[in-house]
Amino acid sequence: MGFEDMDVDTIWLDGEFVDWEDAQIHVLTHSLHYGTAVFEGIRCYDTEDGPAIFRWDEHVERLYESAKPLELDIQHEPEELREATEQLIREQDLPSCYIRPIAFYGYDSLGVSPKDCPTRTAIAAWPWGAYLGEEALEEGVDVMISSWRKHHPSQIPTNVKATGPYVNSMLAGEEARRNGYVEAIVLNKDGQVAEGPGENLFLVRDGEIFTPGLSESILEGITRDSLIEIARDQGYTVHDQASISRGELYTADELFFTGTAAEVTPIRTVDDVEIGSGSRGPVTEELQQRFFDVVERRTDDYEEWFSYV
Ligand code: PMP
């Protein structure tokens, strides 16, 4: 669904609330040319106690951390971003939504050095359902190993959520879709499993859970972190610094993706090879169920992860 079909009318831009269609930037904006923006994707869930933002503090912390290596000095305090976000949710009557803060180098000159460009910040919020489709949550998705490799952390900071590296995600995802798959799995420069274009990956084998470690060229996903905690609390052993080879994907009992957009999505085939029974596995189902019970607040557990609007 495109923005034109959505009932949203306001964007927060550099400290002001502006009409949706007036949230414009100049075509010579530095970050548009060089991919030097940093951003976040955050979900707010519809709960009995009203809209609940999932892990706001961790997302905002990652936004400021992402800005650091780019020497991008966000001109607003985290508290101002929180108030702006809450007002966007309240005033647009969004029971649930996806929240997109972005900080970028603006318009001044187009040398690669952004030194005289102003730092600008925007926040938008809009309704967004299941990223890979409702059906995907139950049935699982068909994925392929991308022919593109993820950058090595010595080439670009892979732990940072900057816009430039998403060229890699876009290429991998579109290659998969062109070939009839829903999503890609991207290997790192050494050929070990890194992650999806916008998701972290988990593997289940013999009742234990594995996910690539931080040195495998992954983004340290906040859903990944949540899933690790939930799985451990459910009694599972989780190896969160694993190194997973391509071959181990095909022989896994279960695989699933996690991400703010993708939530917890089972993977049913990789390169047309059925994973386990070729449908959502029991461990994935249990953790997915628990995840949705948590984020939709059907339990009081993990209350500290939620900010109510
Ligand atoms: N890896 C990549 C490359 C991503 O874009 C995302 C989405 N932000 C993730 C992993 C998952 O991170 P999170 O759970 O924080 O959304």
Side-chain angles (χ1 to χ4, degrees):
M1 185 160 86
F3 291 120
E4 290 299 322
D5 306 316
M6 290 180 194
D7 192 15
V8 280
D9 55 24
T10 309
I11 284 177
W12 182 90
L13 182 60
D14 301 322
E16 316 264 337
F17 291 93
V18 299
D19 285 344
W20 190 272
E21 50 280 6
D22 294 336
Q24 307 276 2
I25 57 163
H26 198 279
V27 290
L28 300 182
T29 293
H30 186 278
S31 287
L32 177 64
H33 291 251
Y34 304 122
T36 53
V38 295
F39 69 108
E40 271 305 318
I42 309 168
R43 271 196 196 262
C44 173
Y45 286 92
D46 186 7
T47 76
E48 267 187 4
D49 297 316
I53 305 176
F54 182 51
R55 306 204 68 174
W56 169 268
D57 290 338
E58 291 81 356
H59 279 284
V60 169
E61 196 182 328
R62 190 170 67 185
L63 179 71
Y64 285 81
E65 278 180 7
S66 294
K68 243 181 148 171
L70 279 70
E71 297 182 77
L72 194 151
D73 186 17
I74 299 175
Q75 301 293 303
H76 305 272
E77 293 300 317
E79 197 45 37
E80 193 181 352
L81 304 189
R82 178 200 290 272
E83 283 165 17
T85 301
E86 289 182 357
Q87 198 168 329
L88 286 174
I89 293 168
R90 244 183 260 117
E91 300 211 344
Q92 296 181 109
D93 277 329
L94 295 167
S96 67
C97 62
Y98 181 85
I99 303 158
R100 168 56 56 84
I102 183 164
F104 58 98
Y105 283 113
Y107 168 81
D108 174 74
S109 53
L110 269 184
V112 171
S113 170
K115 71 177 173 22
D116 294 322
C117 296
T119 301
R120 308 190 58 187
T121 311
I123 308 172
W126 63 85
W128 207 358
Y131 181 57
L132 298 172
E134 277 298 331
E135 200 191 304
L137 294 175
E138 255 182 59
E139 308 290 323
V141 289
D142 301 313
V143 308
M144 68 173 271
I145 305 293
S146 181
S147 66
W148 295 100
R149 292 283 176 91
K150 187 89 185 178
H151 341 81
H152 188 263
S154 65
Q155 297 170 308
I156 204 158
T158 50
N159 60 330
V160 152
K161 206 166 159 61
T163 54
Y166 279 83
V167 172
N168 180 267
S169 296
M170 189 270 230
L171 289 169
E174 292 312 294
E175 177 190 37
R177 286 180 276 279
R178 210 164 46 239
N179 284 283
Y181 300 90
V182 171
E183 190 59 299
I185 291 176
V186 188
L187 306 180
N188 66 24
K189 208 163 159 279
D190 300 326
Q192 294 293 91
V193 175
E195 58 184 352
E199 304 89 0
N200 291 112
L201 182 128
F202 285 77
L203 180 152
V204 183
R205 182 133 202 240
D206 296 335
E208 296 193 358
I209 298 175
F210 301 80
T211 192
L214 303 184
S215 57
E216 302 292 314
S217 299
I218 66 160
L219 183 73
E220 192 175 0
I222 291 163
T223 322
R224 173 186 182 276
D225 179 74
S226 309
L227 234 289
I228 291 168
E229 194 166 334
I230 288 172
R232 285 184 178 146
D233 289 347
Q234 295 292 106
Y236 288 101
T237 299
V238 183
H239 306 271
D240 65 1
Q241 301 299 321
S243 185
I244 299 173
S245 67
R246 178 174 182 169
E248 288 173 288
L249 294 176
Y250 306 111
T251 57
D253 295 331
E254 302 179 31
L255 295 175
F256 60 91
F257 280 136
T258 65
T260 297
E263 298 170 302
V264 179
T265 300
I267 297 170
R268 66 179 176 193
T269 66
V270 177
D271 296 332
D272 303 319
V273 176
E274 282 191 359
I275 305 307
S277 61
S279 60
R280 176 174 62 186
V283 177
T284 306
E285 183 170 359
E286 178 193 338
L287 296 177
Q288 185 192 47
Q289 180 90 48
R290 183 74 178 139
F291 176 81
F292 281 108
D293 281 348
V294 169
V295 295
E296 288 163 5
R297 302 312 294 134
R298 288 187 291 272
T299 165
D300 293 331
D301 300 339
Y302 312 102
E303 185 65 12
E304 66 282 6
W305 287 349
F306 296 88
S307 321
Y308 296 89
V309 178

